Amino acid sequence: MFDNIQDALNQLLSGDRHESEVSCEQLIAALKQFPHSAELYFLLGSEQAEAGNKDDAKSALGYALVLKPDMHIARFQLAFLHLLDGNFDAVKVLLEPLVIDVGAADYLTYFAKGCIAAAEGDTEICVRQLEAGINHNRVNEALNTNMKKLCTLLMPSDVSASSEEAVETALFDIYTQQKH
């Protein structure tokens, strides 16, 4: 068992695990001990997304937001999963606080604007906003990697393809070729 929530997070995020991969057994034990920890539900959601369990990931990330509505990274990750599923209305609703909240992390504001543009099929604005977010993000390289991949996939290589078609193809490729 863990001494406190910080001890649980430290143990879960340290060790010999590949790229901060969390031990599912330890994570479940931590959640049983601290069932009201938004951070643990965020970790669970991230692990579920990486494993390809999008519905479970959405559920865990959504619960993290219920527990801590200002957890902007959980909000963004949940919206990104909805973007991958083509649920564009949910993307806009979830990301709106990141666009209007002055206290939100600057890079997430750019990423949110980019994802909203992607949901609207505007690849030019999407790429411009994602690139701005990448330039401002100095704390989350894994997220930068995902956004760089999305930018690369959205770059116009076939001028005959519509913007909306390009967004849908790019999002499918992100989901099938890359972990979150």
Side-chain angles (χ1 to χ4, degrees), residues 75-94:
R75 177 175 301 283
F76 181 79
Q77 291 290 62
L78 180 58
F80 193 73
L81 287 172
H82 280 287
L83 185 65
L84 295 173
D85 281 346
N87 188 353
F88 300 141
D89 289 336
V91 172
K92 294 173 189 175
V93 169
L94 283 164

